[in-house]
Amino acid sequence: MTATNEPSFRESVDLMFNRAASLMDLPPGLEEKIRVCNATYTVRFGVRLRGDIHTFTGYRSVHSEHMEPVKGGIRFALAVNQDEVEALAALMTYKCALVETPFGGSKGGLCIDPRQYEEHELEQITRRFAYELAKRDLINPSQNVPAPDMGTGEREMAWMADQYARMNTTDINARACVTGKPLNAGGIAGRVEATGRGIQYALREFFRHPEDVQKANLSGKLVGKRIVVQGLGNVGYHAAKFLSEEDGSRIVGIIEWDGALYNPDGIDVESVRQWIVKHGGVSDYPDATHSADGAAVLEAECDILIPAALEGVINLTNADRIKAPLIIEAANGPVTAGADEVLRKKGTVIIPDMYANAGGVTVSYFEWVKNLSHIRFGRMQRRQEEARHELIVSELERLDRYLGDAWSMSPDFKSKYLKGADELELVRSGLDDTMRIAYQSMREVWHNRDDVEDLRTAAYIVAVDRVAKSYRAKGL
Ligand code: GLU
């Protein structure tokens, strides 16, 4: 819970924006123009369910249209409100600018507890919400392209895309109206894992820079690092799984809605995930200590803390007790502006949300491009690439025969080298490249400017500067 004397989520984002803007040379009018949300649409609609009419409230906020379409997820949660949706839309603007996806920022939400409804009821509600948004071009391939967020996923995106297609029967680009769709409905390989994968690539890039690692009072690489993750939803699960299975990190703590698991020797992420699917929570999971007070584990001894659940979980009530020297914000806005200041003073390094969780929108961008080009990535070049590799391999085989025992090809070289990249590999490579380049643009500001203490301020400076340039080019 956020302390009551703390600013709201949107005010918190504004405070962080202002901190960065005060270090930039923006005309005051333009600064204000960038900060404010352009428009927020509120809709109340009724759906007949179980014999009664149920009224739902939904929002779609558009923060900045310096580039169109605008982009951002739609969340289904009871706590959704205008302030939150506007804060999240603003973060989308900065996120897209930082990772160079050519979109403005938007966000949507529906006040609903999805667990209270049957699948066919949810479909009715989602389609109706999509209808209301599409009617006003708030779902549209060239204007506003939603995506999954908390409480939504491939299934909801497929319903929305189909609803838009029904309303726009001659739009050849209809599939590009939302991203995060299932593969068989125009989705792209690797979108589901994308945000978690992005966290892994972000941390790998961070650990490629020893000076940065040292700023967090850490050393070495990701292998052996103790990690606490809050939230084993889509983002937290994939991040923790990849970091433990592929980078040798140790997941020592997992925080969920019904308490936390802790085991200094490491917890098997996949088996906890299966446990949650079966039992609904982490209680009684056998291979770790369970504590009912989950939030207390945010304060546990570890090297890296990954808040991957809600906003505002690190706030003035607990910031001074957080021990992790490195925090990577997988959720949007998990650290309040007040907590950010406390942690900065303590020397904690925070890899900010607008960069850390940008993997989702990056792969959404690839999906949107795929939909507009009407062809799967790699379809034209894969076999041609393989044929060219075949030429080299056959030359190497000739050499192999000629040199006899003196030299031979490594056993798996041929099969590895011959294989042309499929869509998933191309998506991962594009994501990796994006995460590396965006980190480097942030760290350049962090290291080169004496007045910039932290990565968040650096991220805002890079992002806001790009948005400002875009507005200037439009004559503003
Ligand atoms: N909801 C995700 C986010 O907050 C993804 C947005 C998108 O793919 O457009 O970044």
Side-chain angles (χ1 to χ4, degrees):
M1 267 281 105
T2 314
T4 45
N5 57 350
E6 284 194 70
S8 73
F9 186 14
R10 192 185 50 74
E11 288 163 345
S12 203
V13 170
D14 281 354
L15 284 169
M16 291 169 177
F17 172 95
N18 291 345
R19 206 176 116 74
S22 70
L23 305 175
M24 299 176 72
D25 200 15
L26 294 174
L30 184 57
E31 183 183 316
E32 169 76 1
K33 170 70 201 83
I34 295 174
R35 180 180 35 243
V36 299
C37 229
N38 288 4
T40 303
Y41 170 65
T42 307
V43 60
R44 296 183 188 86
F45 59 89
V47 182
R48 183 172 287 279
L49 301 167
R50 306 172 199 177
D52 278 324
I53 293 181
H54 294 239
T55 302
F56 296 90
T57 305
Y59 305 92
R60 185 78 180 161
S61 176
V62 175
H63 174 261
S64 176
E65 292 152 289
H66 66 289
M67 283 198 190
E68 282 177 318
V70 292
K71 189 98 192 68
I74 291 187
R75 66 171 55 173
F76 282 6
L78 272 183
V80 161
N81 59 69
Q82 182 169 344
D83 187 278
E84 179 190 69
V85 169
E86 290 186 352
L88 292 166
L91 282 175
M92 283 309 304
T93 295
Y94 310 133
K95 191 185 301 190
C96 290
L98 185 63
V99 294
E100 295 179 291
T101 55
F103 303 127
S106 182
K107 200 79 173 200
L110 185 67
C111 301
I112 187 174
D113 176 0
R115 286 166 306 186
Q116 301 303 318
Y117 297 91
E118 304 282 336
E119 184 164 11
H120 71 275
E121 295 174 327
L122 264 181
E123 177 173 351
Q124 247 181 293
I125 301 163
T126 306
R127 281 185 182 277
R128 183 61 204 277
F129 186 31
Y131 168 81
E132 296 295 335
L133 296 180
K135 212 162 66 170
R136 291 163 182 87
D137 290 336
L138 292 166
I139 296 183
N140 183 303
S142 60
Q143 300 283 296
N144 197 323
V145 182
D149 200 80
M150 267 169 55
T152 55
E154 290 188 333
R155 184 183 63 173
E156 287 73 16
M157 297 307 115
W159 291 332
M160 288 187 189
D162 185 63
Q163 187 62 35
Y164 177 86
R166 286 186 191 184
M167 295 164 70
N168 297 275
T169 47
T170 55
D171 185 348
I172 196 168
N173 292 321
R175 280 190 154 177
C177 74
V178 299
T179 57
K181 302 177 293 292
L183 257 183
N184 59 18
I188 194 167
R191 175 61 184 86
V192 175
E193 65 166 42
T195 315
R197 189 60 83 181
I199 298 289
Q200 176 194 34
Y201 290 162
L203 280 172
R204 282 187 182 170
E205 181 58 18
F206 179 84
F207 278 91
R208 277 191 199 105
H209 301 278
E211 316 92 280
D212 302 8
V213 177
Q214 211 197 333
K215 276 188 186 253
N217 265 324
L218 291 167
S219 60
K221 295 279 169 200
L222 272 167
V223 57
K225 291 286 176 297
R226 298 160 307 160
I227 297 181
V228 169
V229 59
Q230 183 193 37
L232 219 56
N234 182 42
V235 181
Y237 160 67
H238 282 106
K241 182 179 164 73
F242 298 148
L243 288 164
S244 57
E245 291 178 4
E246 297 172 13
D247 297 279
S249 304
R250 205 164 2 124
I251 308 300
V252 295
I254 294 177
I255 307 169
E256 261 293 328
W257 65 274
D258 63 337
L261 301 175
Y262 192 80
N263 184 345
D265 298 327
I267 309 174
D268 182 57
V269 176
E270 194 53 52
S271 84
V272 176
R273 173 81 161 193
Q274 294 314 321
W275 185 270
I276 297 174
V277 169
K278 204 159 162 211
H279 305 274
V282 292
S283 308
D284 302 322
Y285 177 76
D287 300 321
T289 320
H290 177 263
S291 55
D293 182 9
V297 176
L298 286 170
E299 299 160 24
E301 197 78 57
C302 65
D303 300 309
I304 305 171
L305 176 60
I306 310 184
L310 286 171
E311 56 256 18
V313 292
I314 300 172
N315 49 57
L316 287 178
T317 66
N318 60 358
D320 56 347
R321 294 194 304 276
I322 301 286
K323 293 190 199 67
L326 176 63
I327 299 176
I328 177 158
E329 297 181 328
N332 286 308
V335 176
T336 63
D340 190 62
E341 195 175 335
V342 173
L343 292 166
R344 228 183 305 127
K345 288 200 177 119
K346 275 210 313 195
T348 309
V349 172
I350 302 180
I351 303 180
D353 47 7
M354 83 169 74
Y355 165 70
N357 67 35
V361 76
T362 301
V363 177
S364 276
Y365 169 44
F366 302 154
E367 180 176 332
W368 182 73
V369 171
K370 175 187 177 181
N371 294 151
L372 293 180
S373 59
H374 301 267
I375 189 165
R376 183 180 75 235
F377 286 108
R379 181 159 178 183
M380 299 293 278
Q381 58 277 53
R382 184 172 178 189
R383 301 300 166 193
Q384 191 260 0
E385 208 180 286
E386 284 182 4
R388 290 179 68 85
H389 288 178
E390 184 75 56
L391 274 179
I392 294 189
V393 167
S394 58
E395 280 304 290
L396 286 172
E397 276 172 341
R398 218 160 55 83
L399 195 63
D400 197 345
R401 281 195 299 276
Y402 174 72
L403 290 174
D405 289 343
W407 181 83
S408 65
M409 269 192 283
S410 317
D412 56 351
F413 169 78
K414 190 172 163 179
S415 60
K416 271 196 186 156
Y417 188 70
L418 275 183
K419 199 171 150 288
D422 60 13
E423 186 171 81
L424 181 60
E425 283 168 276
L426 291 170
V427 162
R428 286 182 181 158
S429 135
L431 175 60
D432 192 11
D433 186 54
T434 303
M435 297 309 289
R436 289 190 200 204
I437 290 181
Y439 184 79
Q440 286 159 20
S441 64
M442 235 171 25
R443 86 181 286 273
E444 206 177 288
V445 174
W446 189 29
H447 287 275
N448 294 349
R449 286 186 57 159
D450 295 337
D451 53 355
V452 175
E453 294 170 34
D454 60 322
L455 276 167
R456 190 188 313 278
T457 307
Y460 268 98
I461 289 177
V462 174
V464 173
D465 183 53
R466 288 182 185 158
V467 177
K469 285 200 172 97
S470 183
Y471 273 121
R472 281 210 195 99
K474 282 178 192 279
L476 252 181

